[in-house]
Amino acid sequence: MYAQVDPRTLPPEVLIVLLAAAALLALVQTARIAWQGFWRRRALTIRRERGAAGEQRAEGLLRELGFTILGRQVAVSYGVRVDGDPVAIDLRADYLVGHGDKRYVAEVKTGRAAPRIDTPGTRRQLLEYRIAFDVDGVLLVDAEADRVHAVEFPLGTSDSPRPSRLAWLLAGVVIGAVAAVIVRFGL
């Protein structure tokens, strides 16, 4: 078993050392937490500044490539249904640009991973832009590499011929009529 120590019987020097150690531990922990908060805020500030500088570079790059800037920080709201209930989704894109008679959403990315299409967050964001904005396509702008990528998703478009419901109905009527003639006349 452990022997119990009565703090009243400890020499004052030991109590002072224990209190000083506890105070030093509390001071170190407080400094560590403050330091972490400082670096977290600093990293966020650096990221924001890097993103703002990237957007400025991207605008110049888009213009050099012949795109017309139609809007900056363009907002849109689109609707989805969750269990039958409508839900409005607000979305903001870096740029809406035009080239000839086509319109595109341009998303500017900086850093190592974000400008890559195999980064899940970037890919999902571009796909959502493609669906939500009434545009001909999406552009991924790597501001630090001065590159603009046209990203195409395998979505059904009005250009791809798809049979309408009326065409299916007419095909069914024709097949039914042919079957009726075969049965009626025993062909």
Side-chain angles (χ1 to χ4, degrees), residues 8-115:
R8 293 175 290 177
T9 62
L10 289 175
E13 301 82 25
V14 173
L15 285 175
I16 290 173
V17 168
L18 289 174
L19 286 173
L24 181 62
L25 180 64
L27 182 64
V28 167
Q29 183 67 1
T30 301
R32 184 187 68 80
I33 291 169
W35 188 254
Q36 282 179 336
F38 167 77
W39 279 111
R40 200 174 303 122
R41 287 187 304 279
R42 180 73 183 129
L44 185 59
T45 299
I46 290 170
R47 235 176 303 165
R48 280 191 196 129
E49 290 170 354
R50 187 179 193 181
E55 285 186 23
Q56 284 187 331
R57 277 196 313 276
E59 185 170 335
L61 178 61
L62 288 164
R63 287 183 194 277
E64 285 175 24
L65 293 172
F67 290 94
T68 303
I69 307 299
L70 303 174
R72 294 169 192 80
Q73 296 299 316
V74 180
V76 70
S77 183
Y78 69 100
V80 298
R81 291 193 172 273
V82 178
D83 297 329
D85 297 327
V87 176
I89 306 293
D90 295 325
L91 195 58
R92 182 178 304 276
D94 292 331
Y95 291 100
L96 181 63
V97 299
H99 195 274
D101 62 344
K102 305 255 186 206
R103 292 176 351 127
Y104 302 88
V105 169
E107 177 62 19
V108 180
K109 294 295 184 186
T110 57
R112 202 176 77 249

Side-chain angles (χ1 to χ4, degrees), residues 109 112-126:
K109 294 295 184 186
R112 202 176 77 249
R116 296 175 33 186
I117 196 62
D118 59 347
T119 302
T122 298
R123 187 175 56 253
R124 289 183 190 116
Q125 184 179 22
L126 293 177

